[in-house]
Amino acid sequence: MSTQTYLLRSCLSFSLMSLLACTQPPSNQSPAFAPVQNQVPFTQLPGSDANMNSTQAQAQTSQAPILASPIQSSPRSSASPINAAGTSEVPVASTRPTFPANLPIGSLPANLPVQAPYSPPGAAGTGDFRLQDRFLTDQDTFNQWQAVSLTLSGNQLFVGAIDQKSPTKGTVIQMDPSGANWKDIGKSLLATITLGASGYKIGADLRGMAADASGHLTVIESNQQLHQLRAPDYKLTTMQLAFGGARDLVFSNQNYYIASADGIQQINPTDKSVKLFSPVIATGGLTADSANYLYIIVGDKIQKLDPSGQSGELIRGLKQAIDVAVDAEGDIFVLESTQILWFNANGEAKGSIGRSEFSDARAIAIDTIGNLYVADAGLDYTESAVFKFTRTPA
């Protein structure tokens, strides 16, 4: 064999062996196409790194869900912390309690702690009012007066009162809003001389009282009697009405309005003409606001009448409502037998005032600065009084 032929065969053998060596895998590694044993499939988590290994992904998916509702998560940092061994770590969120997740709407767990509801000032109890004073109705030696009505005119408080001892009678008591300068203005000179009932024209059926823009007083009885006391000397005159069952009256829009068993009657003070203003039958008192709207107690409701006589229900669900008053802000005060209920102009409850202060409450009035006055007949004349509640600063 020639030398050239030998060298050519040797080179070909060497090249073939090198080629085979390059295509064989190392002895300690599985072939590339061999299946991996015990491989754990996982679902790629939103926001996770694409190169996360299976162990890290399994750690992420093994955690229990924290809340049933979706939570906006903060962006994940591209750089993972490095532990002492030099390998990358993925932070694992701490386990948060699932309580009260997955509760049906409208249900609560049985062991949920319950605290008292927040009650802002004016929402309950005495609200923004406090009892300032209590004026005795009866400050007379010879009579036994009990308060059944009241009104305010200027800086004077007028109380309609009755004496139930025989012979029964009624009167009007004048005093300052502080309870001072008590005076019986319903009696005539004859009553002063005889010290009896013959000088009193107002009867014990007195139901309501109101003052007009000039300070003249009008008193209504249930038995078709209307009495006027004209300022400043309060000389009394009486007229007969064409309807009965009167409960209360108010002065508004240059007219008197009387709540009667025949509906709301309108009386023109000039010619004394009477006409039916509204067929609403009141069961308690009535009042008016500065816009000449009337507020009337009808059973367990307050009805509001506009100046044309159209009515609508404003408040309902009352218990033993007796009288009503409205302040300059439009807030409504409803007198019940043992308390005053306080509502805003929309009829939404704001609280209660004077709870359990009264023995036999009969009427409520409010002055121009928001003080409330309640006429309480009391259990007898020794207890009858006018309660004054003043507005406290907010």
Side-chain angles (χ1 to χ4, degrees), residues 134 136-138 144-146 377-385:
R134 178 176 174 269
L136 289 177
T137 304
D138 184 67
Q144 299 179 0
W145 301 119
Q146 293 180 259
L379 298 179
D380 58 30
Y381 74 98
T382 63
E383 291 187 359
S384 180

Side-chain angles (χ1 to χ4, degrees), residues 125-126 131 134 335-341 352-361 374 376 383 387 389:
T126 58
L131 178 61
R134 178 176 174 269
L335 178 65
E336 292 188 334
S337 57
T338 59
Q339 64 182 339
I340 304 167
L341 298 180
S352 62
I353 304 163
R355 187 173 298 171
S356 301
E357 291 283 357
F358 316 122
S359 299
D360 187 8
V374 174
D376 183 11
E383 291 187 359
F387 290 80
F389 297 87

Side-chain angles (χ1 to χ4, degrees), residues 113-168:
V114 178
Q115 297 179 349
Y118 172 66
S119 179
T126 58
D128 290 333
F129 287 85
R130 65 179 179 87
L131 178 61
Q132 184 191 49
D133 215 335
R134 178 176 174 269
F135 319 135
L136 289 177
T137 304
D138 184 67
Q139 299 181 33
D140 195 352
T141 304
F142 302 103
N143 300 291
Q144 299 179 0
W145 301 119
Q146 293 180 259
V148 296
S149 181
L150 78 166
T151 191
L152 292 118
S153 179
N155 61 349
Q156 293 296 301
L157 174 65
F158 297 93
V159 181
I162 59 173
D163 181 357
Q164 293 183 343
K165 69 178 179 59
S166 182
T168 60

Side-chain angles (χ1 to χ4, degrees), residues 30 34-42 53-55 58:
S30 302
V36 179
Q37 301 296 322
N38 300 325
Q39 185 175 359
V40 180
F42 67 94
N53 61 37
S54 62
T55 303
Q58 186 176 1

Side-chain angles (χ1 to χ4, degrees), residues 171-209:
T171 193
V172 176
I173 294 169
Q174 179 186 14
M175 65 179 79
D176 297 341
S178 62
N181 297 317
W182 187 98
K183 185 179 181 181
D184 180 357
I185 63 173
K187 65 181 180 180
S188 66
L189 180 61
L190 180 61
T192 303
I193 296 173
T194 62
L195 304 179
S198 58
Y200 286 93
K201 300 297 183 183
I202 302 174
D205 290 322
L206 188 157
R207 290 292 182 270
M209 182 170 52

